């Protein structure tokens, strides 16, 4: 095989790999978003950082393999890699990763939930005592 053609094939396969890795990285972000609720601002920041990093990696790929000359088959390779990932592993990755994460963090979440309920109960009890103390002090003042 001609050396130039072999280089183009390596370039295309690297683009496919970058597309698949980018799709998987975005699925990791999706798992985190489902596990921990996010505000619109944090979602926007996460998306900006993701696309910024992907842009840098895409530029480095094109610069390294092709001296900065943009080839549309590289963009097609990135798109193809993302589609292949989405059609295969991507269909189950988010669902089962989220289930695994919930399973692994179950004791921690239950412990934190228990502590949160106990702290609310303690705050409620001490809050009631302070209120009664104030009412008793006010009642004494009005009786005098």
């Amino acid at each position: 095989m001609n050396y130039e053609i072999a280089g183009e094939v390596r370039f295309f396969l690297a683009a496919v790999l970058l597309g698949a890795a980018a799709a998987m990285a975005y699925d990791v972000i999706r798992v985190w978003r489902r596990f921990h609720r996010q505000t619109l601002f944090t979602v926007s920041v996460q998306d900006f950082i993701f696309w910024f990093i992907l842009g840098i990696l895409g530029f480095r790929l094109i610069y390294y393999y092709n001296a900065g000359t943009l080839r549309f088959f590289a963009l097609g390779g990135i798109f193809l890699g993302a589609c292949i990932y989405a059609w295969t592993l991507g269909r189950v990755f988010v669902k089962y990763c989220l289930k695994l994460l919930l399973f692994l963090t179950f004791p921690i979440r239950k412990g934190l939930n228990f502590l949160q309920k106990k702290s609310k109960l303690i705050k409620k009890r001490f809050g009631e005592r302070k209120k009664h103390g104030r009412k008793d002090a006010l009642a004494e003042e009005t009786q005098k």
Side-chain angles (χ1 to χ4, degrees), residues 14-24 26-27 50-51 54 74-91:
V16 170
L17 184 63
L18 177 63
M24 187 174 204
Y26 198 77
D27 275 352
F50 171 80
W51 287 108
L54 184 60
L75 298 177
I78 293 171
F79 180 73
L80 180 65
C83 288
I84 289 172
Y85 168 80
W87 292 329
T88 57
L89 185 61
R91 292 179 182 251

Side-chain angles (χ1 to χ4, degrees), residues 11-80:
F11 181 37
F12 180 73
L13 292 176
V16 170
L17 184 63
L18 177 63
M24 187 174 204
Y26 198 77
D27 275 352
V28 170
I29 294 171
R30 288 177 53 208
V31 167
W32 176 249
R33 288 178 184 169
R34 289 184 183 182
F35 179 72
H36 181 67
R37 290 202 170 228
Q38 309 281 317
T39 64
L40 181 62
F41 177 75
T42 57
V43 169
S44 300
V45 169
Q46 290 168 356
D47 282 344
F48 176 79
I49 291 170
F50 171 80
W51 287 108
F52 183 76
I53 291 171
L54 184 60
I56 290 173
L57 292 175
F59 176 77
R60 286 190 56 152
L61 174 82
I62 291 170
Y63 187 77
Y64 177 76
Y65 279 101
N66 215 25
T69 305
L70 181 62
R71 298 272 176 105
F72 286 106
F73 74 85
L75 298 177
I78 293 171
F79 180 73
L80 180 65

